[in-house]
Amino acid sequence: DVCPNAISLPTDLQIEHCLGWYSPTTGTSDYFNACDIDVVSVPNNSVGYQVPFSGNAYIGLIPIYNVANDFGFWSEYVQTKLVSPLVNNKTYEFSFYINVANYNNDYALNSFGAYFSKQAIAKSDFKPFTNILPQVKYTENSFISDTINWINIKGEFKAEGGEEYLTIGFFGDTLNFDTLCNYIDFPCDFSQFVTYYYVDNCQLVEKENQIIIPNIFTPNNDGENDIFYLDFDFNYIEIYNRWGNKIFENDNVLWQGTTNEGKKASDGTYFYIIRTDKNIYRGIIQLLR
């Protein structure tokens, strides 16, 4: 809404000037934009130098900060509400980019992710979220320590349905997580460390679910493969025997190996026509009791 002009403070959360984004905790996530000419400018700012992956701005945050003799772990996150809720059983791909700042980067992490939730997650303190499994996370067998190149984190997941909020940051067990010391010219003090990351170019895309249609099923009431199962939404299904006679049709019921009159269809080869909103699928299904 306006140009950021300072690093965020608890009483002045500059992240909120990036419309739609905010901090879900008392952490002080930051907003950098080329419109500023001082500490939160782009590409030069108070924590380093970095050209945006795209556009003229990015977000900055401390994923985890440990000062054991002071207040323990401090974590910063960013959160936003989606334009619309995710749809049950739909597959989505989420992608975002991160980069390590030149300063305040004593250590590198390998725990960074994105969590989609039905309700906004929030904390009245600065402690990290624990016991949360992000749907998308960094999975490489290495630490995120690059201060020059943007690192892409992306992954696919199937929605439960109703997820409306996205939270980005550190999701890990604070009792058992790994770090990499970025410096080798002095002993690393693991009781006190800080790291800072830029975040840019978040994209959520609905994927076309892969259509898998079985070619055989065994409706013998043994509890296994008894139904011509389709794991996608369809509008209409028709089943024909080898002579071209339609023996079954329905708009919302899977075929269980019977005719529309309820009689058991004999073993053999049948032909199907399945209609969805976008496509018509034709093929052969083998019924074997």
Side-chain angles (χ1 to χ4, degrees), residues 54-237:
S54 65
N56 58 3
Y58 42 73
I59 283 170
L61 54 84
I62 298 172
I64 192 161
Y65 174 28
N66 183 31
V67 182
N69 297 325
D70 188 0
F71 48 66
F73 288 107
W74 167 292
S75 287
E76 295 177 347
Y77 299 84
V78 287
Q79 188 175 93
T80 189
K81 187 175 182 180
L82 305 182
V83 174
S84 59
L86 303 188
V87 179
N88 172 255
N89 212 36
K90 289 284 187 181
T91 299
Y92 295 85
E93 180 185 81
F94 181 65
S95 170
F96 65 107
Y97 287 79
I98 66 174
N99 175 261
V100 184
N102 297 101
Y103 315 126
N104 295 333
N105 67 345
D106 299 343
Y107 292 84
L109 296 177
N110 58 4
S111 300
F112 209 99
Y115 177 62
F116 293 85
S117 55
K118 296 179 182 179
Q119 288 81 37
I121 59 174
K123 292 173 69 71
S124 58
D125 57 30
F126 45 72
K127 301 295 184 181
F129 289 110
T130 58
N131 301 319
I132 287 180
L133 296 177
Q135 290 91 338
V136 176
K137 60 183 179 180
Y138 182 72
T139 58
E140 299 297 324
N141 187 28
S142 61
F143 292 90
I144 309 167
S145 59
D146 199 327
T147 60
I148 298 175
N149 302 298
W150 288 96
I151 304 301
N152 185 212
I153 299 177
K154 70 176 179 179
E156 293 185 6
F157 66 97
K158 185 169 288 189
E160 294 181 0
E163 295 93 334
E164 286 192 272
Y165 294 88
L166 162 65
T167 307
I168 296 175
F170 169 82
F171 296 96
D173 181 1
T174 55
L175 298 177
N176 183 27
F177 72 96
D178 204 0
T179 60
L180 172 69
C181 181
N182 285 330
Y183 302 102
I184 60 175
D185 56 350
F186 65 87
C188 290
D189 180 6
F190 283 95
S191 68
Q192 180 172 329
F193 64 84
V194 64
T195 185
Y196 196 96
Y197 285 76
Y198 299 124
V199 181
D200 198 12
N201 204 59
C202 301
Q203 294 189 14
L204 178 65
V205 179
E206 181 182 326
K207 303 285 287 186
E208 188 73 37
N209 284 348
Q210 184 178 6
I211 299 297
I212 299 177
I213 301 176
N215 55 18
I216 187 171
F217 78 122
T218 57
N220 54 11
N221 297 319
D222 66 352
E224 296 183 6
N225 200 28
D226 284 330
I227 299 174
F228 181 27
Y229 180 70
L230 305 174
D231 62 352
F232 56 91
D233 295 330
F234 65 94
N235 299 330
Y236 203 75
I237 182 172

